Amino acid sequence: MQKLFFNAEGYPDPTAYQAMNDTGQFSFRPVVYICSRYSDNPAHNTPLARNYCRRAVDLGYLPIAPHLYLPQFLSEDDERELALFMDYILMTKCVEFWVCGTESRDDWSDGMRLE
């Protein structure tokens, strides 16, 4: 008898489970939201965010860092509210929220505070 495994929407998804299981790499990885500075200095902050994500992977997590990919197709100036809305939706999929690269709340950017 085949076991049924469910996707994020709650539907049986045995094919995806089998494909991941066949790789021998199947294990649970909690999803973590990576919150760090971005808009004040993207050239400096982007590599830092990548490093925070890499650290999360090394610790067994699946990182979500919207500030690394949303600027690829959304304008920081014109679509900031839309980006924040997307951030909020992605946060609901995460089991943890990590604030990275700051010593205290005084170092948080406006975007970090909103998140």
Side-chain angles (χ1 to χ4, degrees):
M1 178 178 214
Q2 182 178 11
K3 291 183 181 179
L4 289 181
F5 293 89
F6 300 89
N7 63 20
E9 288 80 31
Y11 297 106
D13 198 357
T15 304
Y17 169 79
Q18 189 62 47
M20 290 190 297
N21 197 37
D22 288 347
T23 67
Q25 303 285 326
F26 184 69
S27 64
F28 176 74
R29 285 184 176 257
V31 180
V32 61
Y33 189 98
I34 304 295
C35 175
S36 64
R37 297 185 74 88
Y38 176 76
S39 62
D40 61 328
N41 188 346
H44 174 74
N45 294 328
T46 297
L48 295 174
R50 286 185 188 131
N51 289 337
Y52 304 141
C53 289
R54 179 72 240 182
R55 180 73 173 139
V57 169
D58 292 343
L59 292 171
Y61 290 85
L62 191 161
I64 299 292
H67 54 301
L68 286 181
Y69 76 91
L70 290 179
Q72 304 300 313
F73 56 89
L74 293 178
S75 165
E76 180 73 22
D77 298 327
D78 300 330
E79 298 175 298
R80 184 167 176 77
E81 294 301 317
L82 176 59
L84 286 169
F85 173 75
M86 291 178 177
D87 290 347
Y88 300 149
I89 299 302
L90 290 169
M91 276 185 237
T92 67
K93 309 303 180 195
C94 300
V95 297
E96 293 185 19
F97 184 91
W98 293 3
V99 177
C100 303
T102 62
E103 295 293 323
S104 72
R105 290 182 181 197
D106 295 334
D107 297 330
W108 291 3
S109 67
D110 291 340
M112 293 171 74
R113 282 189 182 85
L114 288 171
E115 289 173 334

